[in-house]
Amino acid sequence: MAQYSKIMIAVDLSEDSAEVATKASAIAGGDTSGLHLIHVIEPLSFAYGGDIPMDFSGIQDEIHQQATQQLTAFGNAHGIPAERQHIVLGRPEVEIHNAAQEIDADLIVVGSHGRYGLALLMGSTANGVLHGATCDVLAVRVGDHD
């Protein structure tokens, strides 16, 4: 197994995120000095495609503020300091690739729900991260394992 010195952990801040972080920490041998966290917030305009003539900026700011608080608590619980916690706005697969390149990560760890069929065709973050990554990617199976 390759030795990884900089590991980007992509989390959605759901309860499954702890499983992803635990796996990344195990790969790092318990040494958290090379671990980075990233959480990507998708703009509300992506979800609604501009179909609703509404100003989402206040709601988007609230989402960002809550995500920052959650990521800070999550990072502290896993021994990852604030300077290695990243919150960005955009498409998850694009922003995870960008952040991994920026820190020169040699591994991205992301959770995967093991979707198949139509759900996979509709796209998943893990699938998007896998395709186009310039480093190794580990998709950790989370959620229901049926």
Side-chain angles (χ1 to χ4, degrees):
M1 179 182 229
Q3 179 103 13
Y4 298 109
S5 61
K6 288 189 182 173
I7 301 173
M8 175 65 71
I9 309 167
V11 294
D12 61 4
L13 298 174
S14 70
E15 57 190 42
D16 295 328
S17 295
E19 193 173 344
V20 176
T22 299
K23 182 70 78 169
S25 182
I27 291 168
D31 178 11
T32 62
S33 65
L35 300 180
H36 288 254
L37 284 173
I38 185 167
H39 174 69
V40 181
I41 301 169
E42 289 191 76
L44 292 173
S45 60
F46 285 6
Y48 297 105
D51 291 341
I52 300 174
M54 216 175 130
D55 181 12
F56 289 113
S57 60
I59 298 168
Q60 194 75 60
D61 289 344
E62 179 66 25
I63 290 169
H64 193 278
Q65 184 177 37
Q66 287 180 7
T68 300
Q69 292 171 353
Q70 288 179 318
L71 189 66
T72 298
F74 186 86
N76 291 342
H78 291 278
I80 302 170
E83 63 269 12
R84 287 188 272 120
Q85 298 173 19
H86 313 274
I87 288 196
V88 292
L89 188 67
R91 295 191 55 88
E93 58 276 8
V94 171
E95 298 305 331
I96 292 167
H97 288 157
N98 290 343
Q101 287 180 333
E102 188 175 304
I103 68 157
D104 197 26
D106 40 25
L107 177 66
I108 299 170
V109 181
V110 62
S112 173
H113 292 279
R115 292 183 175 95
Y116 54 90
L118 186 58
L120 181 60
L121 289 175
M122 296 301 286
S124 72
T125 299
N127 192 42
V129 170
L130 177 62
H131 298 290
T134 58
C135 63
D136 291 350
V137 177
L138 173 64
V140 177
R141 184 79 182 253
V142 295
D144 293 332
H145 298 285
D146 297 337

